[in-house]
């Protein structure tokens, strides 16, 4: 067997030397490693129990090139996400009825009785939701106080069992494509203090902050899968059990019934709401206006808040705005994120390696303990 393995390596060597992806360094190398990891996990999940890919030799035989591995990851992750959303549509309980109003002169006893009844109804709905998830997903997700340590807030707990390579949650939020980020006045300063940001390798930023989540469809946020933003970094002595996986979701190729459940929205689609909601914020807002807003009554109000800038800067920003609007039309797929189980998960909290930039070590929060500094250095290199 050893002789065969050496012969096989020698046979593959010339082909490997000719591949440009084998000469990657820094972030490009880490992206390749992450894609390979996701490929192995999702392929094992897709072919279970007859796992086709068990070694690097199997990788060479099934999807030897990086773009083939990436395509397989996309296919596996998107198909899983669609199946989960379909299952939720099939199994979800009826929505909660709206809370009844009370007359202004209602006494305290009436108010207390109604509050107690409302809590009981909400608890019953939560139990129905967990049972529906078990039927549809094979597991259920719930929010609870995290075990990551003091100050960690809420976390996501998976009850039941999820096999390695399974999509277990979506990371919801507002999507800023590279062109969108280039149009931001003040650049990244807009996101100072925002601890709910995820950056894809293609430069797309996913903002899962509370402010941004208010702009995502309520129906999508009501889906129990839309909790990826609550996954905490593991505490000291524990490892991550999920990986972030980029997914490109083309509405034209997805079942129309699941589209309202996708917990993503492009910044260009809600840009005017982002600006109005943060009218009292420092001048780090998007300067250029989407075409859908520029001619409206709100445009002069926004323009009045802008600081004076020179004609050249105005021209450049206008050009970037035009490019971003064109990109929104041409780049139809939503560039989202999902969380994939990196091992079998059973009755435990979901932990995601935040992989913070080593160059910002002096700004790391006290609870952050890096899991693999070498990987982090490559990711941000």
């Amino acid at each position: 067997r050893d002789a065969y393995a050496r012969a096989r390596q020698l046979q593959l060597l010339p082909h490997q030397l000719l591949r440009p992806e084998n000469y990657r360094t820094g972030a490009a190398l880490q992206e390749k490693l992450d894609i390979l990891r996701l490929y192995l996990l999702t392929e094992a999940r897709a072919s279970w129990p007859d796992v086709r890919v068990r070694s690097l030799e199997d990788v060479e035989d099934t999807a030897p090139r990086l773009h083939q591995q990436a395509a397989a990851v996309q296919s596996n992750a998107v198909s899983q996400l669609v199946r989960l959303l379909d299952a939720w549509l099939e199994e979800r309980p009826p929505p909660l009825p709206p809370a009844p109003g009370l007359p202004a002169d209602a006494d305290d006893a009436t108010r207390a009785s109604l509050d107690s009844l409302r809590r009981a109804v909400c608890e019953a709905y939560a139990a129905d939701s967990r049972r529906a998830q078990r039927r549809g997903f094979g597991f259920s997700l719930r929010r609870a106080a995290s075990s990551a340590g003091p100050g960690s807030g809420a976390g996501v707990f998976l009850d039941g069992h999820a096999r390695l390579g399974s999509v277990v949650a979506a990371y919801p939020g507002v999507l800023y494509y590279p062109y969108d980020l280039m149009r931001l006045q003040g650049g990244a300063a807009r996101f100072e203090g925002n601890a709910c940001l995820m950056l894809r390798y293609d430069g797309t930023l996913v903002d899962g902050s509370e402010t941004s989540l208010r702009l995502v469809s309520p129906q999508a946020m009501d889906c129990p899968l839309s909790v990826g933003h609550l996954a905490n970094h593991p505490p000291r002595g524990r490892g991550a059990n999920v990986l972030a996986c980029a997914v490109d979701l083309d509405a034209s190729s997805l079942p129309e019934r699941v589209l309202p459940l996708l917990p993503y929205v492009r910044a260009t689609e809600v840009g005017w709401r982002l600006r109005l909601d943060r009218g009292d914020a420092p001048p780090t807002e998007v300067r250029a206006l989407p075409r859908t807003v520029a001619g409206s009554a709100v445009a002069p109000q926004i323009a009045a808040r802008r600081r004076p800038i020179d004609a050249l800067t105005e021209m450049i920003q206008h050009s970037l705005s035009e490019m971003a609007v064109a990109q929104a039309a041409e780049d139809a797929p939503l560039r989202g994120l999902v969380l994939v189980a990196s091992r079998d998960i059973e009755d435990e909290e979901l932990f995601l390696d935040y992989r913070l930039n080593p160059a910002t070590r002096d700004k790391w929060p006290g609870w952050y303990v890096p899991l693999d500094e070498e990987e982090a250095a490559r990711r941000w290199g």
Side-chain angles (χ1 to χ4, degrees):
R1 174 174 293 188
D2 291 342
Y4 170 78
R6 286 195 296 272
R8 176 67 171 164
Q9 291 173 353
L10 290 173
Q11 179 184 6
L12 294 172
L13 184 59
H15 302 283
Q16 293 170 342
L17 290 175
L18 292 174
R19 292 180 190 161
E21 62 261 33
N22 289 336
Y23 295 91
R24 295 172 182 243
T25 59
L29 174 59
Q30 190 57 49
E31 179 182 15
K32 178 183 177 183
L33 295 174
D34 287 347
I35 290 175
L36 175 60
R37 189 174 298 155
L38 287 165
Y39 172 73
L40 294 172
L41 289 167
T42 59
E43 278 295 290
R45 169 69 169 75
S47 59
W48 192 269
D50 183 23
V51 179
R52 297 187 296 267
V53 182
R54 297 176 179 270
S55 67
L56 290 179
E57 291 180 5
D58 295 335
V59 173
E60 294 288 346
D61 292 335
T62 55
R65 295 191 176 274
L66 185 63
H67 75 273
Q68 293 173 311
Q69 295 172 26
V73 170
Q74 281 292 305
S75 176
N76 292 334
V78 171
S79 62
Q80 281 195 57
L81 179 61
V82 169
R83 284 198 298 270
L84 290 170
L85 295 178
D86 256 335
W88 178 243
L89 287 173
E90 181 69 25
E91 301 290 348
R92 64 181 174 179
L96 273 173
L102 278 176
D105 59 351
D107 56 43
D108 291 343
T110 302
R111 293 179 183 278
S113 176
L114 187 60
D115 287 343
S116 177
L117 177 60
R118 185 65 179 176
R119 283 195 300 270
V121 170
C122 290
E123 289 171 3
Y125 177 82
D128 287 344
S129 174
R130 289 193 294 271
R131 286 190 289 268
Q133 292 179 64
R134 285 293 189 105
R135 294 192 300 269
F137 308 158
F139 58 84
S140 63
L141 299 171
R142 59 183 172 88
R143 308 180 188 197
S146 176
S147 62
S152 55
V156 183
F157 290 79
L158 185 146
D159 297 321
H161 178 263
R163 201 160 56 235
L164 84 170
S166 299
V167 171
V168 294
Y171 195 102
V174 174
L175 310 178
Y176 291 86
Y177 291 10
Y179 283 128
D180 304 329
L181 293 172
M182 292 170 66
R183 296 165 58 221
L184 288 176
Q185 178 185 347
R190 178 189 183 90
F191 303 105
E192 283 291 336
N194 188 339
C196 298
L197 301 173
M198 291 286 286
L199 184 67
R200 294 181 16 151
Y201 280 106
D202 63 5
T204 299
L205 185 72
V206 185
D207 182 358
S209 64
E210 184 178 348
T211 299
S212 290
L213 293 183
R214 289 200 294 266
L215 305 177
V216 178
S217 160
Q219 185 177 355
M221 291 307 300
D222 285 342
C223 177
L225 294 170
S226 302
V227 291
H229 61 297
L230 296 177
N232 277 316
H233 183 79
R236 187 181 300 275
R238 301 183 65 177
N241 53 16
V242 293
L243 298 172
C245 174
V247 287
D248 295 337
L249 302 161
D250 187 348
S252 64
S253 63
L254 297 178
E256 188 173 352
R257 60 186 177 275
V258 306
L259 297 182
L261 297 184
L262 297 177
Y264 314 108
V265 61
R266 274 236 27 207
T268 49
E269 296 177 24
V270 293
W272 67 275
R273 292 178 63 187
L274 287 168
R275 283 187 291 274
L276 289 180
D277 289 346
R278 301 190 54 160
D280 56 349
T284 57
E285 303 171 35
V286 180
R287 285 185 179 274
L289 297 172
R291 291 175 179 170
T292 54
V293 180
S296 70
V298 80
Q301 300 172 20
I302 298 174
R305 292 201 299 267
R306 291 163 54 189
R307 294 186 301 184
I309 54 177
D310 60 66
L312 177 60
T313 302
E314 181 73 31
M315 181 184 69
I316 293 174
Q317 290 182 337
H318 179 73
S319 298
L320 290 174
S321 174
E322 295 296 308
M323 292 167 63
V325 172
Q327 179 83 349
E330 297 170 3
D331 194 2
L334 285 173
R335 302 179 187 178
L337 283 173
V338 296
L339 302 185
V340 172
S342 58
R343 57 171 174 78
D344 283 3
I345 301 175
E346 187 164 4
D347 297 331
E348 55 189 292
E349 184 174 356
L350 301 184
F351 287 120
L352 171 68
D353 182 3
Y354 284 7
R355 206 185 268 172
L356 299 185
N357 190 344
T360 63
R361 185 182 298 270
D362 58 330
K363 297 182 180 179
W364 284 355
W367 48 259
Y368 179 74
V369 180
L371 294 183
D372 190 321
E373 295 202 52
E374 186 179 345
E375 283 192 355
R378 281 197 300 263
R379 170 63 182 94
W380 298 103

